[in-house]
Structure formats: structure tokens, C-alpha cells
Amino acid sequence: MNTAVTKQDRIGARVPHDVYETLCRAAQLSGATVNQFLVQAALKEAQQVIEREEVIRLSPRDWQWLLELMEKPFKPNARLLAAMEHYQKVKNADEDNTFRWEP
């Protein structure tokens, strides 16, 4: 029989007694141990933080605007073309002289 072993880590926290009592009450009301309650609550909050930081939400109007820009991008003007040309020159010069040190 092949059983998978999942690695587990420990998290500990010291909290004021009134906070502990509140956590115990909430855990009991939800039918979980304090540890289960803390892990579930912390995981839910962690997932929300990650989503808030990594996901970009657009309104339908803004989504449509973005799609139109991607399908029909603006033509670069003279200043942008000059900047792109300058960038290519600098980039090529850096590739040729990877390390330049002069005392």
C-alpha cells in the first residue's frame, strides 16, 4: 500500500487572553478546534491578499477598451521612434562592452 506523507510546519503565536477567548469562542461556534479555526481564517486572508496583489480587475468598459487597443494599437509618433532607436543603440553598445572600467 502506497501512502503519501504530507510535510507539515508549525506556526505559533502569543496573544492576549481576551483575544484567545474570542478565538476559542469563534472556533467552538464554527465546530472547529482553535488551531483549525486559525489556519482556515489565516489561509482565507492570505488568499485574499495574494489575489488583491496579483489579479487586475477591469470593468467591462475598460476590458473592451484594452481589447481595442491590442487589436488596433496606436502608430508610434516621431518621439517614440527616436526613443526606440536610441534604446537599441544603447542596448547594442552595452552588449559589446559588457564591463568597462577606467580608473
Side-chain angles (χ1 to χ4, degrees):
M1 184 160 82
N2 198 3
T3 59
V5 177
T6 303
K7 182 179 185 242
Q8 293 185 336
D9 294 314
R10 178 173 291 280
I11 298 174
R14 296 207 177 273
V15 296
H17 184 70
D18 59 330
V19 172
Y20 177 75
E21 291 294 324
T22 302
L23 293 172
C24 287
R25 183 167 180 234
Q28 185 179 27
L29 290 171
S30 66
T33 66
V34 175
N35 192 51
Q36 290 168 334
F37 181 81
L38 287 173
V39 170
Q40 290 169 356
L43 182 59
K44 181 179 175 183
E45 180 66 20
Q47 289 168 335
Q48 289 174 353
V49 168
I50 291 168
E51 182 177 339
R52 183 175 62 237
E53 294 299 319
E54 292 183 350
V55 175
I56 298 172
R57 299 205 185 280
L58 297 174
S59 67
R61 185 195 72 192
D62 290 342
W63 175 248
Q64 191 61 40
W65 173 77
L66 181 60
L67 286 177
E68 288 173 13
L69 279 179
M70 290 190 311
E71 289 175 1
K72 300 179 217 164
F74 291 109
K75 300 274 187 223
N77 62 21
R79 287 183 67 188
L80 179 57
L81 290 171
M84 291 182 341
E85 185 178 326
H86 175 71
Y87 169 77
Q88 288 300 327
K89 285 180 184 176
V90 170
K91 186 175 123 186
N92 291 337
D94 282 347
E95 289 173 0
D96 295 339
N97 301 311
T98 304
F99 180 73
R100 240 196 283 180
W101 181 77
E102 296 176 15

